[in-house]
Amino acid sequence: MTVAATTASTRTGFAMILIIAVAVVVLGVIWNPTQDGVLKGTSLTPETVVARVQSDQTYPDALRTLLQTTRANPGDLAAAKAAARATINAGRDAGDSRMVGASLGILRPFLATPDSETLYLAATARQYQHDFPGALKLLDQALERDPGDVNARLTRATIQTVEGRFTTAEAECRALNAAPGVAFLCQATALLMTAEAPALEQRLTLILQQPGLMDPGLQPWAIGLLGELAQLNNENPKARDYFQQVLAASPKSLRDRLILADLMLQDGLADQVAPLLKDAPATDGVLIRRVLAAMSLNTDSTTDREDLAKRFQLNLDLGLTAHAREEARYFLEIARDPALALHRAQVNWAMQHEFEDAQLLIAAAMAAGQPAAAQPVLDWAADQKVTAPALQLDDLKKRLAP
């Protein structure tokens, strides 16, 4: 995978992905792959139907051809890597975690004696499935084999940023000596919520105003960062304009589309959300925003509500945690169950510390009447020097003051 392809997917990050829940029944109990245990109190026979897996996602013709080549040549590493790359990209575009996960099966025969790219691709699939420790372990191995692997180092920095370890991520970004443009954008991504934000905004604006200072392939990433900076500063109209520019250049960027939908919802532009998400894959995040827009407009959203309720109840029944962020927002804003919303927000906070995660934990703690449950956000903000105005940390400190 080229650096350009990697950087294009970096801002997509951990886009809200389609639940394709599969229960593995072993000896009458459900195995929980997230927690390496069993779901307590659930005893099933091998004949029990836990859920019916349905997906209308079809594999693109080019991907089908690559998969057929891999099956016909099981020992061909180059063919396997090409198929894995295509599978990951197709799964990202479709918001289909099942498809992304299939890349691990393609690569598995070669993981006994892998090269750095094979490890990087496997790590990318684990990253997408929110297995951050597993992904980082594979990336460490990749960099042991090839310390100059830009893709592996960038992905490691991305995961560290999502985990809210900004100082660690920035140091990782600085090591991207072979790709200075990528290194700067990587550092900017890691420092968006810190006191460095004003300087980053000035530098990003200056670079974009000077033709030739940045690889055109990196410009959507830079514009998206300006959009996030505006969002963090409560400058929503400015942020919306930036994200519209990103989507004009990168229409498949689901993360940018979802952020723009959130800004529209905040600014009373719910009527613009449905057109924005019309062609987006039916991921949890997409459905949540469609329902919230419908609620704002007093229009029917029964089908989407029922779909979300089934997905999230199945997640709870199976003890899955990868979609805790979406679940927390659903229970907070749609199902109106603040206690359950707080629980899922806490589960999510244990895994990742992005702006949306901090927002959710604070909002759920307040809605549940347990403001002290938001203290971890303040502890993290102090440790990582987070200053994002949109988080209203000073107000939170006052709420939690003795």
Side-chain angles (χ1 to χ4, degrees):
M1 185 177 288
T2 64
V3 173
T6 301
T7 54
S9 66
T10 296
R11 292 204 65 263
T12 301
F14 302 92
M16 323 288 185
I17 55 182
L18 176 62
I19 296 289
I20 307 290
V22 180
V24 180
V25 180
V26 181
L27 300 178
V29 296
I30 296 178
W31 175 63
N32 182 342
T34 303
Q35 299 174 345
D36 284 337
V38 297
L39 188 61
K40 294 181 179 179
T42 305
S43 181
L44 305 174
T45 68
E47 292 76 25
T48 302
V49 177
V50 178
R52 298 189 184 278
V53 179
Q54 297 179 345
S55 175
D56 58 2
Q57 179 62 42
T58 58
Y59 281 50
D61 290 341
L63 175 55
R64 253 179 222 285
T65 300
L66 288 170
L67 292 173
Q68 289 169 354
T69 300
T70 300
R71 285 194 294 269
N73 302 277
D76 189 336
L77 175 59
K81 288 194 288 191
R85 283 193 295 270
T87 302
I88 290 169
N89 291 335
R92 278 172 166 163
D93 290 345
D96 189 340
S97 60
R98 176 181 58 86
M99 188 180 291
V100 174
S103 64
L104 289 172
I106 297 169
L107 296 170
R108 188 166 291 116
F110 304 96
L111 288 176
T113 55
D115 61 9
S116 63
E117 186 182 14
T118 300
L119 288 163
Y120 158 71
L121 290 168
T124 300
R126 291 197 179 280
Q127 170 199 16
Y128 193 84
Q129 296 176 322
H130 290 202
D131 178 10
F132 302 149
L136 288 171
K137 183 177 179 180
L138 291 170
L139 292 168
D140 288 344
Q141 294 174 34
L143 288 168
E144 286 175 5
R145 287 162 174 76
D146 181 6
D149 188 330
V150 173
N151 290 330
R153 195 168 297 281
L154 177 60
T155 302
R156 191 160 71 171
T158 300
I159 293 173
Q160 292 162 346
T161 299
V162 169
E163 291 180 325
R165 296 187 288 129
F166 302 142
T167 302
T168 304
E170 184 197 7
E172 197 78 61
C173 296
R174 285 199 302 268
L176 291 165
N177 299 323
V182 172
F184 168 63
L185 293 180
C186 178
Q187 288 178 273
T189 302
L191 298 175
L192 283 179
M193 289 195 281
T194 73
E196 299 295 323
L200 291 172
E201 182 177 15
Q202 291 179 1
R203 188 172 175 188
L204 284 165
T205 302
L206 179 63
I207 289 173
L208 288 170
Q209 288 174 345
Q210 300 294 321
L213 287 185
M214 177 172 287
D215 183 331
L218 298 177
Q219 288 182 3
W221 185 2
I223 296 169
L225 291 176
L226 285 171
E228 290 190 58
L229 284 166
Q231 178 192 31
L232 293 169
N233 282 321
N234 292 313
E235 299 173 331
N236 284 9
K238 186 176 177 181
R240 292 201 313 271
D241 180 64
Y242 281 128
F243 285 115
Q244 294 281 14
Q245 292 180 49
V246 174
L247 291 173
S250 303
K252 290 184 178 181
S253 178
L254 184 58
R255 183 172 187 271
D256 293 295
R257 196 170 293 276
L258 293 176
I259 294 175
L260 180 56
D262 284 339
L263 292 166
M264 290 173 172
L265 289 168
Q266 291 172 19
D267 295 344
L269 302 172
D271 59 315
Q272 297 182 25
V273 172
L276 176 68
L277 300 179
K278 180 170 63 75
D279 298 323
T283 66
D284 297 341
V286 168
L287 295 188
I288 285 171
R289 288 159 178 82
R290 287 193 339 208
V291 170
L292 290 173
M295 290 169 62
S296 180
L297 298 170
N298 293 315
T299 56
D300 181 63
S301 61
T302 302
T303 300
D304 286 345
R305 280 174 176 263
E306 290 178 348
D307 196 355
L308 285 170
K310 290 176 183 176
R311 294 181 185 190
F312 293 150
Q313 187 58 54
L314 186 58
N315 284 355
L316 294 174
D317 290 344
L318 298 179
L320 304 178
T321 61
H323 301 268
R325 176 195 285 180
E326 294 85 353
E327 292 159 14
R329 187 168 186 185
Y330 167 79
F331 289 117
L332 179 65
E333 300 184 43
I334 297 174
R336 304 294 170 88
D337 186 338
L340 188 50
L342 176 57
H343 173 259
R344 301 316 283 172
Q346 289 171 322
V347 169
N348 177 61
W349 186 254
M351 295 185 293
Q352 55 190 45
H353 292 16
E354 292 190 280
F355 170 64
E356 298 92 335
D357 308 310
Q359 265 192 327
L360 265 174
L361 185 55
I362 294 170
M366 297 306 170
Q370 300 182 49
Q375 181 65 45
V377 175
L378 288 181
D379 296 339
W380 161 75
D383 180 65
Q384 295 295 320
K385 299 179 175 56
V386 173
T387 61
L391 286 178
Q392 299 181 315
L393 295 175
D394 288 339
D395 290 344
L396 180 58
K397 289 177 185 176
K398 291 177 184 177
R399 289 288 300 270
L400 299 184

